[in-house]
Amino acid sequence: MMEKEKGEKSGPPCGEGISILPEGCISDIVALTTPKDACRACVVSSIFRSAAESNGVWEKFLPSDYQAIIAQSSSSDSLNFSSKKQLYLSLSDNPILIDGAKKQSFFLDKLSGKKCYHLPARELTIAWGNDPRYWRWVSLPESRSLHNSRFPEVAALNYVFWFDINGKMSTSMLSPKTNYAAYLVYKLTEEAYGFNHPPPTASIGTTGAGEVYEQTVSLDLPVVEPGPEDQVVLPQQQQQQHTSRPKQRNDGWLEIELGQIFNEGGEVDELQFGLKEVEVLRCKSGLIVEGIEIRPTRG
């Protein structure tokens, strides 16, 4: 027999070799990857497609407590899918209102399956928020129509000198071993003023760790799309801990990152986040707050 040429490999190509495995084995392998990888696996072959779309795979991508979370939603009946992949995609594309009286919105990060939450303005602590001289609670069509799962009212600022908005939630609600960021979801009216000199200070931290991350954020900087150009170039004396600028969201609102924190999991701590300016006390007006969103960072 002629010897094989140097470097020539015997046996079937890699893809064909894996395809001869039982479908259950392929499903177990795909379940160790990511939702994005599972979707890519569907184009390899028919057996890969069957394995990658199996309920066993997508059950692994869903949070372990997803059934308990769905049970808190009034729309739980509409989530009765036979396919776990359909359920995953629905929870990624269509946030659901949970906790009884529409206290917060829950959804999944589509790429990772990590848990995300959107706390409405009513669930935040807003200084002077219940005084109609300073804040008004209004209903906006753009805060009620998207996915039929937005909030019935938002907070509209008339004017304040003491500006302080903060919120909190249990870290046990979040996915463990995950880096999260908090985002203020808002709009500015054409008459808005008072948010640049000085810019308010954003903060995020946990009660257990005892550390709080702070940075100044400018709500009225020009809006940009997400990307590496998001960094704000400021004079040297203003560069310290000033990293966020507004981004346009697909739902028509703006968002600005308040800060990031790593959720270790395990012990239950309280995650706290907020935005304030209580030193210079310059008059501020024209801000509309829909809420604060907590979701995993990417990259």
Side-chain angles (χ1 to χ4, degrees):
M1 287 182 62
M2 295 179 60
E3 292 185 2
K4 294 185 187 311
E5 294 184 10
K6 186 176 181 181
E8 183 180 346
K9 296 181 179 179
S10 60
C14 181
E16 294 179 14
I18 295 178
S19 295
I20 66 174
L21 293 174
E23 184 177 317
C25 290
I26 298 176
S27 293
D28 290 342
I29 294 171
V30 175
L32 296 174
T33 62
T34 66
K36 185 176 181 180
D37 291 330
C39 291
R40 288 173 172 171
C42 290
V43 303
V44 175
S45 66
S46 59
I47 190 172
F48 262 77
R49 184 183 307 109
S50 179
E53 293 188 341
S54 68
N55 282 342
V57 168
W58 290 90
E59 182 88 23
K60 294 279 189 177
F61 295 149
L62 288 164
S64 59
D65 58 348
Y66 76 91
Q67 291 178 324
I69 294 173
I70 291 174
Q72 300 177 57
S73 172
S74 60
S75 59
S76 57
D77 290 343
S78 66
L79 297 172
N80 189 24
F81 297 105
S82 60
S83 164
K84 290 296 190 291
K85 181 179 180 180
Q86 285 181 300
L87 175 60
Y88 179 97
L89 294 177
S90 179
L91 290 174
S92 301
D93 295 332
N94 304 292
I96 60 174
L97 293 170
I98 63 172
D99 204 4
K102 299 184 177 180
K103 289 185 178 180
Q104 55 194 306
S105 177
F106 167 82
F107 61 102
L108 296 179
D109 178 70
K110 199 167 192 176
L111 293 182
S112 67
K114 303 292 187 179
K115 294 188 282 187
C116 310
Y117 292 90
H118 189 133
L119 278 66
R122 274 295 188 190
E123 287 302 299
L124 303 176
T125 300
I126 301 178
W128 311 107
N130 293 322
D131 190 324
R133 293 176 297 175
Y134 304 113
W135 290 88
R136 293 174 293 115
W137 292 91
V138 300
S139 177
L140 296 181
E142 59 267 37
S143 190
R144 291 184 287 109
S145 59
L146 186 67
H147 311 312
N148 295 315
S149 62
R150 300 305 280 243
F151 309 114
E153 57 185 356
V154 297
L157 174 61
N158 293 327
Y159 75 94
V160 290
F161 293 88
W162 186 282
F163 178 74
D164 191 356
I165 300 174
N166 60 80
K168 60 184 178 180
M169 66 185 300
S170 172
T171 57
S172 64
M173 298 173 62
L174 305 174
S175 299
K177 308 294 183 183
T178 302
N179 198 60
Y180 275 92
Y183 301 86
L184 178 73
V185 181
Y186 71 102
K187 288 185 176 183
L188 293 174
T189 67
E190 292 183 358
E191 297 79 21
Y193 61 86
F195 293 99
N196 52 1
H197 297 299
T201 298
S203 63
I204 186 170
T206 58
T207 53
E211 295 182 358
V212 176
Y213 170 83
E214 293 186 343
Q215 66 170 357
T216 56
V217 294
S218 293
L219 303 180
D220 54 357
L221 283 175
V223 177
V224 297
E225 294 298 324
E229 70 277 9
D230 293 348
Q231 297 300 315
V232 181
V233 180
L234 297 171
Q236 184 64 38
Q237 66 271 22
Q238 299 181 35
Q239 285 184 2
Q240 184 178 6
Q241 294 187 323
H242 193 146
T243 59
S244 292
R245 67 183 306 165
K247 297 176 185 176
Q248 185 72 52
R249 292 164 56 97
N250 292 332
D251 58 13
W253 290 79
L254 301 178
E255 70 176 27
I256 194 164
E257 184 184 302
L258 303 180
Q260 300 183 16
I261 194 166
F262 183 76
N263 183 44
E264 182 70 31
E267 294 184 10
V268 178
D269 293 326
E270 190 172 70
L271 179 64
Q272 300 176 333
F273 37 83
L275 185 66
K276 66 180 180 180
E277 198 291 291
V278 296
E279 295 182 0
V280 178
L281 301 180
R282 182 184 180 191
C283 187
K284 300 165 185 61
S285 179
L287 174 68
I288 302 174
V289 178
E290 190 191 46
I292 292 180
E293 193 164 283
I294 312 295
R295 64 178 192 264
T297 60
R298 293 179 177 176

